[in-house]
Amino acid sequence: MTMGSRLLNIQRRAAEHGRLRTGYTQGNRPVRSATWVVTSHSEEHVRAAAELWGGEVEQWTPLNSNIAQWRVITKASSIEALITPGDPLNQYNEMWSAGGCQRRCDGETELLSRQSCLCARQFGEDWHTQPKGRVCSATSRFNVMLPDLSGMGMWRAETHSFYAASEWGGMVDMVLAGTDGKGFVPVTLRIEPRQVVRDGKTKKFPVVVVELRGVTPRQALAGPMSTAMALDPSGTRAVAALEAPRPDYLALAAGALHVDDVGDVYRDANAAGHLNDELVAALSKRAEELKAEAAKKASPGGSTEQVPDEDGAYPAEVVDEPSSTSWPAVAQAGSSN
């Protein structure tokens, strides 16, 4: 196929359909969720997600925004997704306020001020253990495609987990090393509850885990896989789509007891696309045989011997009893035996 021209000075990317979140807001209070929260400006996309993963669709307005969106708090803690060609992961240490992004750091250099990492300089290498708002949050944005939802756009999963940032980077880099950023890779996004004990206190939190789905590391690292395999790594959908076993139309016709039964076999074969000249000839022959048998039985010289039907029953003649117009002798007045 010959491709049309593309602008070389802009990055090509698919539209973003919505977000995959691990929390939601009740009023002004943030709430963690053990299941995925799907949000989008498109009601159609959110309703499709609700049909797949459960939950009630509702309108929702994000904090610090007056633009309403749609969301569903699903019942699924894991969902199927595809890593698309290119690098799907973007990571920075960020600090935000009502005025926008105040810091964006790559772990060594704060990019807005062009200074060395401010958090590490102030709090040391364990700066991430400081309370939220005092230091940057490890922000990871992971763009995936959801193959069972409508549209060809991307969905962004975002987490501020320090642990997820480390695991996502390792997982994606291994996949990119094997595929060179080409082709699709099937994955599962799973919300996993975890806990750590620090300074004698137990802290529980969810971490989004990215796992290969339906393929082995050998397959994922052997180079770009076909799109068909990425869409159906287990092959179950291909098996379900295989043609059903072809009925034995000749046997069905041989067991027919009436010409109409042969006609039903003909119509079924035609609807299934199995009709050919040989089958038409065989069905026509069987229909003529049944017509001849019916004509022989109906003719005056035909056999009068009764034969059982397919259920083993013999036809019986029903004789109506004549209606009585007089009382029986034993019931008439003055009669005696």
Side-chain angles (χ1 to χ4, degrees), residues 63-97:
L63 293 177
N64 303 319
S65 174
N66 56 7
I67 301 177
Q69 298 185 30
W70 295 88
R71 79 174 178 186
V72 57
I73 303 172
T74 73
K75 299 179 181 179
S77 60
S78 63
I79 58 178
E80 296 182 356
L82 291 174
I83 294 178
T84 57
D87 188 350
L89 182 61
N90 186 287
Q91 293 181 307
Y92 289 107
N93 294 323
E94 295 179 349
M95 179 182 289
W96 287 74
S97 70

Short mmCIF file of all heavy atoms in Angstrom, two decimals, residues 63-97:
data_model
loop_
_atom_site.label_atom_id
_atom_site.label_comp_id
_atom_site.label_asym_id
_atom_site.label_seq_id
_atom_site.Cartn_x
_atom_site.Cartn_y
_atom_site.Cartn_z
N LEU A 63 -12.36 18.11 40.00
CA LEU A 63 -12.01 19.25 40.84
C LEU A 63 -11.31 20.32 40.01
O LEU A 63 -10.56 20.02 39.08
CB LEU A 63 -11.10 18.79 41.99
CG LEU A 63 -11.72 17.86 43.04
CD1 LEU A 63 -10.66 17.44 44.05
CD2 LEU A 63 -12.89 18.54 43.75
N ASN A 64 -11.56 21.56 40.37
CA ASN A 64 -10.94 22.71 39.70
C ASN A 64 -11.31 22.78 38.22
O ASN A 64 -10.53 23.23 37.38
CB ASN A 64 -9.42 22.69 39.85
CG ASN A 64 -8.98 22.66 41.30
OD1 ASN A 64 -9.56 23.35 42.14
ND2 ASN A 64 -7.97 21.85 41.60
N SER A 65 -12.50 22.28 37.89
CA SER A 65 -12.97 22.33 36.50
C SER A 65 -14.47 22.55 36.51
O SER A 65 -15.17 22.16 37.45
CB SER A 65 -12.64 21.02 35.77
OG SER A 65 -13.21 21.01 34.48
N ASN A 66 -14.98 23.19 35.48
CA ASN A 66 -16.42 23.37 35.35
C ASN A 66 -16.96 22.66 34.12
O ASN A 66 -18.07 22.92 33.67
CB ASN A 66 -16.77 24.87 35.29
CG ASN A 66 -16.03 25.59 34.17
OD1 ASN A 66 -15.35 24.96 33.36
ND2 ASN A 66 -16.16 26.91 34.13
N ILE A 67 -16.16 21.75 33.56
CA ILE A 67 -16.57 20.98 32.39
C ILE A 67 -16.97 19.58 32.84
O ILE A 67 -16.15 18.83 33.38
CB ILE A 67 -15.43 20.90 31.35
CG1 ILE A 67 -15.03 22.31 30.90
CG2 ILE A 67 -15.86 20.05 30.16
CD1 ILE A 67 -13.86 22.32 29.93
N ALA A 68 -18.23 19.23 32.63
CA ALA A 68 -18.73 17.93 33.07
C ALA A 68 -18.22 16.82 32.16
O ALA A 68 -18.06 17.00 30.95
CB ALA A 68 -20.25 17.93 33.08
N GLN A 69 -17.94 15.68 32.76
CA GLN A 69 -17.54 14.48 32.04
C GLN A 69 -18.45 13.33 32.47
O GLN A 69 -19.40 13.51 33.22
CB GLN A 69 -16.07 14.13 32.33
CG GLN A 69 -15.08 15.19 31.90
CD GLN A 69 -13.64 14.74 32.11
OE1 GLN A 69 -13.32 13.55 32.04
NE2 GLN A 69 -12.76 15.69 32.37
N TRP A 70 -18.12 12.13 31.97
CA TRP A 70 -18.84 10.92 32.36
C TRP A 70 -17.86 9.98 33.04
O TRP A 70 -16.67 9.95 32.70
CB TRP A 70 -19.44 10.23 31.13
CG TRP A 70 -20.49 11.05 30.46
CD1 TRP A 70 -20.31 11.98 29.49
CD2 TRP A 70 -21.89 11.03 30.74
NE1 TRP A 70 -21.51 12.55 29.13
CE2 TRP A 70 -22.50 11.99 29.89
CE3 TRP A 70 -22.70 10.32 31.62
CZ2 TRP A 70 -23.87 12.23 29.89
CZ3 TRP A 70 -24.06 10.55 31.63
CH2 TRP A 70 -24.64 11.50 30.77
N ARG A 71 -18.35 9.22 34.01
CA ARG A 71 -17.48 8.27 34.68
C ARG A 71 -18.28 7.05 35.12
O ARG A 71 -19.50 7.10 35.27
CB ARG A 71 -16.79 8.90 35.89
CG ARG A 71 -17.65 9.01 37.14
CD ARG A 71 -16.87 9.51 38.33
NE ARG A 71 -17.73 9.65 39.50
CZ ARG A 71 -17.34 10.18 40.66
NH1 ARG A 71 -16.10 10.63 40.78
NH2 ARG A 71 -18.18 10.26 41.68
N VAL A 72 -17.55 5.96 35.34
CA VAL A 72 -18.13 4.75 35.92
C VAL A 72 -17.09 4.16 36.86
O VAL A 72 -15.92 4.00 36.50
CB VAL A 72 -18.54 3.73 34.83
CG1 VAL A 72 -17.38 3.35 33.92
CG2 VAL A 72 -19.13 2.48 35.48
N ILE A 73 -17.51 3.88 38.08
CA ILE A 73 -16.67 3.17 39.04
C ILE A 73 -16.95 1.69 38.81
O ILE A 73 -17.97 1.17 39.23
CB ILE A 73 -16.99 3.59 40.48
CG1 ILE A 73 -16.81 5.10 40.64
CG2 ILE A 73 -16.09 2.85 41.47
CD1 ILE A 73 -17.29 5.64 41.97
N THR A 74 -16.07 1.04 38.08
CA THR A 74 -16.33 -0.33 37.64
C THR A 74 -16.19 -1.31 38.80
O THR A 74 -15.79 -0.95 39.91
CB THR A 74 -15.37 -0.74 36.51
OG1 THR A 74 -14.06 -0.95 37.06
CG2 THR A 74 -15.29 0.33 35.43
N LYS A 75 -16.50 -2.56 38.51
CA LYS A 75 -16.33 -3.64 39.48
C LYS A 75 -15.12 -4.50 39.15
O LYS A 75 -14.94 -5.57 39.72
CB LYS A 75 -17.60 -4.50 39.51
CG LYS A 75 -18.85 -3.72 39.92
CD LYS A 75 -20.08 -4.59 39.92
CE LYS A 75 -21.33 -3.79 40.32
NZ LYS A 75 -22.56 -4.63 40.31
N ALA A 76 -14.29 -4.03 38.22
CA ALA A 76 -13.14 -4.81 37.75
C ALA A 76 -11.84 -4.25 38.32
O ALA A 76 -11.56 -3.06 38.17
CB ALA A 76 -13.08 -4.81 36.23
N SER A 77 -11.05 -5.11 38.93
CA SER A 77 -9.73 -4.69 39.42
C SER A 77 -8.66 -4.93 38.37
O SER A 77 -7.51 -4.50 38.55
CB SER A 77 -9.38 -5.44 40.70
OG SER A 77 -9.36 -6.84 40.47
N SER A 78 -9.00 -5.62 37.28
CA SER A 78 -8.04 -5.82 36.19
C SER A 78 -8.77 -5.70 34.86
O SER A 78 -9.93 -6.11 34.74
CB SER A 78 -7.36 -7.20 36.29
OG SER A 78 -8.31 -8.24 36.17
N ILE A 79 -8.10 -5.12 33.88
CA ILE A 79 -8.69 -4.94 32.56
C ILE A 79 -7.65 -5.28 31.51
O ILE A 79 -6.44 -5.19 31.74
CB ILE A 79 -9.20 -3.49 32.35
CG1 ILE A 79 -8.08 -2.48 32.55
CG2 ILE A 79 -10.36 -3.19 33.26
CD1 ILE A 79 -8.51 -1.05 32.29
N GLU A 80 -8.13 -5.68 30.33
CA GLU A 80 -7.25 -6.03 29.23
C GLU A 80 -6.93 -4.79 28.41
O GLU A 80 -7.80 -3.96 28.15
CB GLU A 80 -7.90 -7.09 28.34
CG GLU A 80 -8.14 -8.41 29.05
CD GLU A 80 -8.75 -9.46 28.13
OE1 GLU A 80 -9.05 -9.12 26.96
OE2 GLU A 80 -8.91 -10.61 28.57
N ALA A 81 -5.67 -4.68 27.99
CA ALA A 81 -5.24 -3.52 27.23
C ALA A 81 -4.15 -3.93 26.24
O ALA A 81 -3.66 -5.06 26.26
CB ALA A 81 -4.73 -2.42 28.16
N LEU A 82 -3.78 -2.99 25.38
CA LEU A 82 -2.71 -3.19 24.41
C LEU A 82 -1.69 -2.06 24.54
O LEU A 82 -2.06 -0.89 24.57
CB LEU A 82 -3.26 -3.20 22.98
CG LEU A 82 -4.13 -4.37 22.54
CD1 LEU A 82 -4.69 -4.09 21.15
CD2 LEU A 82 -3.35 -5.67 22.54
N ILE A 83 -0.41 -2.44 24.63
CA ILE A 83 0.65 -1.45 24.45
C ILE A 83 0.78 -1.21 22.96
O ILE A 83 0.91 -2.15 22.18
CB ILE A 83 1.98 -1.95 25.04
CG1 ILE A 83 1.86 -2.09 26.57
CG2 ILE A 83 3.11 -1.02 24.68
CD1 ILE A 83 3.13 -2.63 27.21
N THR A 84 0.73 0.03 22.55
CA THR A 84 0.76 0.37 21.13
C THR A 84 2.20 0.66 20.69
O THR A 84 3.10 0.81 21.52
CB THR A 84 -0.12 1.60 20.86
OG1 THR A 84 0.34 2.69 21.67
CG2 THR A 84 -1.57 1.30 21.20
N PRO A 85 2.44 0.71 19.38
CA PRO A 85 3.80 1.00 18.90
C PRO A 85 4.32 2.33 19.45
O PRO A 85 3.57 3.27 19.67
CB PRO A 85 3.62 1.05 17.37
CG PRO A 85 2.43 0.18 17.11
CD PRO A 85 1.52 0.38 18.28
N GLY A 86 5.63 2.39 19.63
CA GLY A 86 6.25 3.56 20.22
C GLY A 86 6.46 3.36 21.72
O GLY A 86 6.28 2.27 22.25
N ASP A 87 6.85 4.42 22.41
CA ASP A 87 7.06 4.37 23.86
C ASP A 87 5.80 4.89 24.54
O ASP A 87 5.48 6.08 24.44
CB ASP A 87 8.27 5.22 24.24
CG ASP A 87 8.65 5.05 25.71
OD1 ASP A 87 7.87 4.42 26.46
OD2 ASP A 87 9.72 5.54 26.11
N PRO A 88 5.06 4.02 25.25
CA PRO A 88 3.78 4.45 25.82
C PRO A 88 3.90 5.12 27.19
O PRO A 88 2.90 5.57 27.74
CB PRO A 88 3.03 3.12 25.96
CG PRO A 88 4.11 2.13 26.27
CD PRO A 88 5.32 2.59 25.48
N LEU A 89 5.11 5.17 27.76
CA LEU A 89 5.26 5.60 29.15
C LEU A 89 5.97 6.94 29.24
O LEU A 89 6.98 7.18 28.57
CB LEU A 89 6.06 4.55 29.93
CG LEU A 89 6.27 4.79 31.42
CD1 LEU A 89 4.94 4.86 32.16
CD2 LEU A 89 7.16 3.70 32.02
N ASN A 90 5.42 7.80 30.10
CA ASN A 90 6.01 9.12 30.34
C ASN A 90 6.08 9.31 31.85
O ASN A 90 5.06 9.19 32.54
CB ASN A 90 5.13 10.20 29.69
CG ASN A 90 5.74 11.57 29.78
OD1 ASN A 90 5.77 12.17 30.84
ND2 ASN A 90 6.23 12.08 28.65
N GLN A 91 7.27 9.61 32.40
CA GLN A 91 7.45 9.70 33.85
C GLN A 91 8.22 10.96 34.25
O GLN A 91 9.26 11.27 33.64
CB GLN A 91 8.19 8.47 34.37
CG GLN A 91 7.41 7.17 34.26
CD GLN A 91 8.18 5.99 34.83
OE1 GLN A 91 9.32 5.74 34.45
NE2 GLN A 91 7.56 5.26 35.74
N TYR A 92 7.70 11.64 35.26
CA TYR A 92 8.39 12.77 35.88
C TYR A 92 8.03 12.81 37.36
O TYR A 92 6.98 12.29 37.77
CB TYR A 92 7.98 14.11 35.25
CG TYR A 92 8.48 14.33 33.85
CD1 TYR A 92 7.61 14.25 32.76
CD2 TYR A 92 9.81 14.64 33.60
CE1 TYR A 92 8.06 14.46 31.47
CE2 TYR A 92 10.28 14.86 32.31
CZ TYR A 92 9.39 14.77 31.25
OH TYR A 92 9.85 14.97 29.97
N ASN A 93 8.90 13.44 38.15
CA ASN A 93 8.54 13.84 39.51
C ASN A 93 7.94 15.23 39.40
O ASN A 93 8.60 16.16 38.92
CB ASN A 93 9.77 13.85 40.42
CG ASN A 93 10.35 12.46 40.62
OD1 ASN A 93 9.62 11.49 40.72
ND2 ASN A 93 11.67 12.38 40.68
N GLU A 94 6.67 15.36 39.82
CA GLU A 94 5.97 16.62 39.60
C GLU A 94 5.34 17.15 40.88
O GLU A 94 4.93 16.37 41.76
CB GLU A 94 4.87 16.44 38.54
CG GLU A 94 5.40 16.09 37.16
CD GLU A 94 4.29 15.89 36.15
OE1 GLU A 94 3.10 15.81 36.55
OE2 GLU A 94 4.61 15.80 34.94
N MET A 95 5.23 18.47 40.95
CA MET A 95 4.50 19.14 42.03
C MET A 95 3.54 20.12 41.39
O MET A 95 3.94 20.97 40.58
CB MET A 95 5.46 19.88 42.97
CG MET A 95 4.74 20.61 44.11
SD MET A 95 5.87 21.53 45.19
CE MET A 95 6.68 20.18 46.04
N TRP A 96 2.26 19.98 41.74
CA TRP A 96 1.21 20.81 41.15
C TRP A 96 0.54 21.65 42.22
O TRP A 96 0.47 21.27 43.39
CB TRP A 96 0.16 19.94 40.46
CG TRP A 96 0.63 19.33 39.17
CD1 TRP A 96 1.50 18.29 39.02
CD2 TRP A 96 0.26 19.74 37.85
NE1 TRP A 96 1.70 18.01 37.69
CE2 TRP A 96 0.95 18.89 36.95
CE3 TRP A 96 -0.57 20.72 37.34
CZ2 TRP A 96 0.82 19.00 35.57
CZ3 TRP A 96 -0.71 20.84 35.97
CH2 TRP A 96 -0.01 19.99 35.09
N SER A 97 0.02 22.78 41.79
CA SER A 97 -0.79 23.64 42.65
C SER A 97 -1.95 24.16 41.82
O SER A 97 -2.10 23.80 40.64
CB SER A 97 0.05 24.80 43.20
OG SER A 97 0.38 25.71 42.16
#
